[in-house]
């Protein structure tokens, strides 16, 4: 039924368009109750936000302004304006300008944030992202951070990229939890729970480039000392600068 000004129902079964300029096109048991809202195909979807839209899928809710749900099942976009759920099942997006893409059971509450793939995770930080994570959480303190390929982990550090794994369900406590690696963009700090392995050489090192003060090539492993702005093979009593490396990691 079409019950308001300039609203329309075209095709389908048991639809309701109850707001001005609302439209329901095809599908079954869909509702468009927001001004300038609409649904296209799908089943049992409800577009109640102003200028909201639902295209396909089942049992979606788009109740925030300028929001949308496309395909998938049981997704909800509410509270935050200009947000979207694309595919997936039982995802909830409440942050403004945020979204979910595929995945199952995610909650995205941070502004301008996103969850892509994975299952049962939360993105609460602003400008944050979760990529392919399961049972994990990006906290509200972790603004501008990304959690990648994680399971049962918690990221509580801002301006960071991290990943990790734990076989036991996460008990959130507002800290960095079960992470195996983390890189902070703010200061360049990298934290690893295991060993950094360099391809071809397990002994990763950091090197500086100096000109050789002597003729010929200094072999790897030789201790060197400074002589002006150059280096030479260290002699007894010299203050050793370092050791020659053939393939430094940094």
């Amino acid at each position: 039924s079409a019950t308001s000004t300039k609203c329309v129902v075209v095709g389908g079964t048991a639809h309701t368009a109850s707001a001005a300029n609302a439209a329901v096109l095809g599908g079954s048991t869909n509702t468009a109750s927001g001004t300038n809202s609409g649904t296209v195909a799908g089943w049992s979807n409800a577009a109640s936000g102003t200028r909201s839209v639902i295209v396909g899928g089942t049992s979606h809710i788009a109740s925030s302004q300028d929001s949308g749900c496309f395909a998938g099942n049981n997704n909800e976009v509410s509270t935050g304006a200009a947000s979207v759920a694309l595919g997936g099942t039982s995802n909830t997006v409440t942050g403004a300008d945020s979204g979910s893409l595929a995945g199952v059971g995610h909650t995205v509450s941070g502004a301008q944030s996103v969850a892509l793939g994975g299952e049962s995770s939360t993105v609460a930080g602003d400008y944050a992202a979760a990529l392919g994570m399961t049972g994990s959480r990006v906290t509200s303190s972790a603004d501008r951070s990304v959690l990648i390929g994680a399971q049962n982990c918690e990221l509580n550090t801002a301006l960071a990229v991290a990943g990790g794994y734990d076989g036991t369900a996460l008990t959130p406590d507002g800290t960095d939890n079960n992470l195996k690696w983390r890189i902070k963009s703010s200061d360049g700090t990298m934290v690893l729970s295991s060993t950094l392995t360099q391809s071809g050489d397990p002994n990763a090192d950091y090197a500086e480039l100096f000109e050789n003060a002597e003729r010929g090539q200094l072999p790897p492993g030789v201790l060197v000392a400074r002589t002006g702005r150059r280096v030479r093979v260290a002699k007894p009593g010299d203050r050793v600068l370092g050791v020659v490396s053939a393939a430094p990691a940094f």
Side-chain angles (χ1 to χ4, degrees):
S1 61
T3 61
S4 187
T5 305
K6 297 180 182 179
C7 63
V8 62
V9 173
V10 179
T13 304
H15 296 312
T16 301
S18 59
N21 305 311
V24 179
L25 308 177
S28 177
T29 323
N30 295 315
T31 301
S33 59
T35 302
N36 302 312
S37 68
T39 69
V40 179
W43 178 73
S44 193
N45 296 312
S48 59
T50 301
R51 297 183 298 277
S52 63
V53 63
I54 298 175
V55 179
T58 303
S59 300
H60 294 312
I61 297 174
S63 59
S64 59
Q65 180 175 302
D66 302 310
S67 65
C69 295
F70 300 85
N73 298 284
N74 299 299
N75 294 318
E76 180 175 355
V77 181
S78 61
T79 309
S83 293
V84 64
L86 304 177
T89 300
S90 300
N91 298 305
T92 301
V93 182
T94 60
D97 305 300
S98 295
S100 67
L101 176 59
V104 177
H106 292 312
T107 299
V108 182
S109 58
Q112 299 182 45
S113 296
V114 64
L116 283 76
E119 182 179 3
S120 302
S121 296
T122 299
V123 183
D126 294 339
Y127 316 104
L131 310 180
M133 68 184 199
T134 299
S136 298
R137 184 170 182 256
V138 180
T139 73
S140 58
S141 296
D143 293 341
R144 295 176 174 84
S145 291
V146 181
L147 193 56
I148 302 175
Q151 180 170 325
N152 299 324
C153 297
E154 185 171 26
L155 176 59
N156 192 55
T157 300
L159 291 164
V161 181
Y165 170 83
D166 194 88
T168 303
L170 174 69
T171 301
D173 60 9
T175 66
D176 285 344
N177 212 329
N178 298 330
L179 300 180
K180 302 303 181 185
W181 61 273
R182 188 197 69 198
I183 301 173
K184 288 182 65 177
S185 298
S186 56
D187 59 12
T189 301
M190 179 168 61
V191 178
L192 305 173
S193 66
S194 188
T195 302
L196 176 65
T197 301
Q198 180 185 354
S199 178
D201 184 353
N203 301 311
D205 56 1
Y206 175 88
E208 296 180 81
L209 180 64
F210 290 92
E211 185 180 353
N212 183 9
E214 301 172 346
R215 181 170 297 183
Q217 183 175 350
L218 297 175
V222 170
L223 298 177
V224 295
R226 291 280 300 265
T227 173
R229 294 188 176 184
R230 301 179 180 181
V231 295
R232 58 168 172 78
V233 176
K235 301 176 182 178
D238 283 341
R239 182 176 179 180
V240 174
L241 176 65
V243 60
V244 175
S245 176
F250 301 97

